[in-house]
Amino acid sequence: MSKTKKTVTVTDNRNGKSWEYPVMDGSIGPGVVDIRKFYADTGMFTYDPGFTSTGSCASGITYIDGDEGILRHRGYAIEDLAQHCTFLEVAYLLLRGELPNPKELKEFEGTITYHTMIHEQVTRFYQGFRRDAHPMAIICGVVGALSAFYHDSLDISDPHHRMISQHRMIAKMPTIAAWAYKYSIGQPFIYPKNELSYAENFLRMMFATPCEEYKISPTLAKAMDRILILHADHEQNASTSTVRLTGSSGANPFACVAAGIASLWGPAHGGANEAVLKMLAEIGTVKRIPECIKRAKSKDDPFRLMGFGHRVYKNYDPRAKIMAQTCKEVLDELGMKNEPLLQIAMELERIALEDDYFVQKKLYPNVDFYSGIIFRAMGIPVSMFTCIFALARTTGWISQWNEMIGDPDQKIGRPRQLFTGHAQRKFVPLKKR
Ligand code: CMC
C-alpha cells in the first residue's frame, strides 16, 4: 500500500470550502481515497449503505477483479489452485502467505489431522438441539461454544495462541459439520480417522456408520476438495466483514467464526446454494423455465434467479466455470448425466445468458449455481449445503481475522449513521399517552 501524490478534492458548495484527500494505491486494482480525517475536517460523515464504494481494510490475501472475472489468492489464480493444489495447500497459502514446500505441507497436514477431534463434552451440546434443527443453527452454536473449551489459545495478542486457534478451527470444522448432519438423522457420530485426507475424512464422517464403512470414491473426494478450495476465501464479503468487525473488538476467534457462520446463512450469501436447489426443484421441468425468467425480471415480484448475480462479479464468476466442469465429472462418475435438475440448470443458464435483462445487468451464474447439484448428486442433503460452504470459508475467515489483528491500522469497527428519527420530543407520562 503506498500513498501517491494524487489527491481528491471535496468542495462544499454551500460555503465554498475545499479539502484535499490523499489517494492510496494497492499493488493492483482500484486505488482508495483516504477519508479517515473527513469527519474531523468537514463535520460530515460519508453515506454508503451496503459498502458498495467503501474499502474497510487493507488486505494482501485475496484479489478479485469483478469485471474481468479474476480471483487470486496471494497472487495465484484460482484456476491453478483448483487444478493443482489440495484444500490444505490452499489453506496454508491463505494463512501463511506462501505455498508450502513438501516438508511444510506434510507438517501442516499432520497438525491439522491431530486437531480434528472435538472435546468429548461438546457432544452434549448437540443433544440439546431439536432433531429437526437446521445444521447451520447447530454449527453456529457449537463453534461459538468452542471458546468455552479451548481457553489455552484465547490470548489474541499472542501469535502462537492465534496459530493454535487457526489450526483448531480448520481441523474441527469437518467434524462439527458432519456431526450436525449425523445428529439430524439420528445416527451415531463417526470420529475422524487420521489416515484420511481432509475431504475424505469429511465424507466418511458424513456417510459411514458403525455398522458399515463408507467406500470413498476418489472422484467424489477430489470434487469435494475442489469445492472446498473454490469456497475458501472471497475478500471482504458479508461474512468475512462480519468476522473482522466482530474481531475488531478483541473477541476470541471462535466467537468471530460463529458470527461469520450466522452471516453466511442468509440466502443472499452462502444460503444461495440451498436456494438454487429449491428453485430448480420448484421449476420442475424445462418447460417452466420461461415463466421463472419472467418472474425474475418482474419489478413487482420479489423472486430472483438464485445462483445468478454477484455484488463484485459483473462477468462470469471464475469459480462457477470450474464448478460446472466438476459437476459434469461427478455426474459422469455417478452415472447421472441425465439428472433432470442438471438439465433444468443448464437450460436456465443458457436462456438467462441470452436474455437482455440478465445481459444488461451483467447477471452471470455465481459459484452457488452448480455446487448444489454436485452436493445433491453426492447424497448430501440440501440443509447441509451452506454448512459445507462455512466449513471451507472458515479458512478464509480465520486468515482474514489473523491479518486484521496484525494490522497496525486496525481499530474497533464503528460505522456512523444518517439519523432520520425524531430530533427531540417532549416526554409524555404513561397516564397521558
Ligand atoms: N435475479 C433477478 N434479478 C437480479 C438478480 C437475480 N438473481 N440479482 C440482481 N438482480 C437485479 C436486481 O433486481 C437489480 O435490478 P434493478 O437495478 O432494476 O433494481 C440489479 O440486478 C442489481 O442487483 P442488486 O441487488 O442491486 O445487486 P447487489 O450487488 O446488491 O446483489 C446479490 C448481489 C448476489 C445479492 C444478488 O445478485 C442476488 O440476490 N442474487 C441471488 C442470490 C445469490 O445467488 N447469491 C449468491 C451470491 S454468490 C455466493 C456468495 O458470495 O455468498
Side-chain angles (χ1 to χ4, degrees), residues 268-269 272 299 304-308 310-311 357 361 366 368:
H269 194 5
K299 277 260 172 243
R304 283 188 167 194
L305 215 51
M306 299 317 280
F308 267 75
H310 198 274
R311 169 60 62 81
Y357 173 93
K361 293 189 191 297
N366 59 49
D368 288 322

Side-chain angles (χ1 to χ4, degrees), residues 9 19 30 38 45 58 67 106 122-123 162 219 244 249 281 291 300 310 317 320 362 368 375 392-394 419:
T9 305
W19 302 270
F38 190 82
F45 299 130
D67 293 325
K106 202 158 182 279
V122 175
T123 56
R162 297 210 299 270
T219 310
R244 279 187 178 257
S249 69
E291 181 193 324
D300 306 322
H310 198 274
D317 179 340
K362 299 188 177 167
D368 288 322
F375 288 148
R393 186 55 59 85
T394 295
F419 182 70

Side-chain angles (χ1 to χ4, degrees), residues 137-403:
I138 300 183
I139 69 166
C140 193
V142 170
V143 169
L146 293 184
S147 41
F149 288 86
Y150 299 104
H151 301 284
D152 59 342
S153 62
L154 292 186
D155 178 359
I156 62 160
S157 63
D158 180 338
H160 187 64
H161 276 215
R162 297 210 299 270
M163 193 176 72
I164 297 173
S165 290
Q166 289 164 7
H167 293 161
R168 282 184 169 145
M169 269 316 325
I170 293 172
K172 293 182 197 310
M173 275 307 276
T175 317
I176 293 170
W179 286 9
Y181 172 57
K182 285 298 195 195
Y183 181 73
S184 72
I185 54 170
Q187 287 187 1
F189 297 147
I190 300 295
Y191 285 76
K193 211 172 194 177
N194 287 355
E195 72 205 42
L196 298 177
S197 75
Y198 193 83
E200 288 170 341
N201 214 354
F202 174 61
L203 286 171
R204 181 177 167 276
M205 286 190 286
M206 285 280 295
F207 296 119
T209 70
C211 323
E212 200 170 344
E213 250 318 314
Y214 170 69
K215 285 196 192 71
I216 303 167
S217 141
T219 310
L220 296 198
K222 191 170 161 237
M224 178 55 77
D225 200 68
R226 189 172 278 174
I227 290 173
L228 298 180
I229 293 174
L230 295 179
H231 286 88
D233 192 48
H234 211 231
E235 207 225 59
Q236 308 310 323
N237 53 79
S239 57
T240 303
S241 297
T242 302
V243 168
R244 279 187 178 257
L245 189 58
T246 309
S248 75
S249 69
N252 73 70
F254 302 109
C256 296
V257 172
I261 294 172
S263 166
L264 186 76
W265 194 356
H269 194 5
N273 50 19
E274 189 173 333
V276 170
L277 250 250
K278 283 187 183 148
M279 176 189 78
L280 294 177
E282 261 168 46
I283 297 174
T285 98
V286 167
K287 274 193 213 144
R288 289 193 56 205
I289 292 175
E291 181 193 324
C292 149
I293 299 262
K294 198 172 155 204
R295 279 190 66 196
K297 292 182 343 187
S298 165
K299 277 260 172 243
D300 306 322
D301 193 328
F303 175 78
R304 283 188 167 194
L305 215 51
M306 299 317 280
F308 267 75
H310 198 274
R311 169 60 62 81
V312 181
Y313 293 119
K314 301 302 166 197
N315 199 325
Y316 217 106
D317 179 340
R319 302 168 301 170
K321 278 191 193 157
I322 307 169
M323 204 64 96
Q325 178 56 31
T326 307
C327 185
K328 290 196 182 93
E329 284 167 20
V330 167
L331 296 184
D332 276 357
E333 157 91 5
L334 297 172
M336 294 169 74
K337 260 192 254 175
N338 297 327
E339 159 77 21
L341 286 192
L342 179 70
Q343 306 301 325
I344 299 171
M346 281 173 21
E347 186 59 7
L348 189 63
E349 181 184 358
R350 189 188 66 75
I351 296 178
L353 288 176
E354 285 171 2
D355 190 288
D356 261 5
Y357 173 93
F358 291 88
V359 173
Q360 271 167 21
K361 293 189 191 297
K362 299 188 177 167
L363 298 169
Y364 292 86
N366 59 49
V367 68
D368 288 322
F369 191 65
Y370 279 105
S371 60
I373 299 171
I374 307 178
F375 288 148
R376 196 182 121 112
M378 286 177 165
I380 292 168
V382 173
S383 61
M384 279 300 290
F385 291 2
T386 316
C387 288
I388 298 176
F389 192 158
L391 187 176
R393 186 55 59 85
T394 295
T395 301
W397 289 333
I398 209 77
S399 306
Q400 300 263 356
W401 168 81
N402 192 48
E403 180 180 61

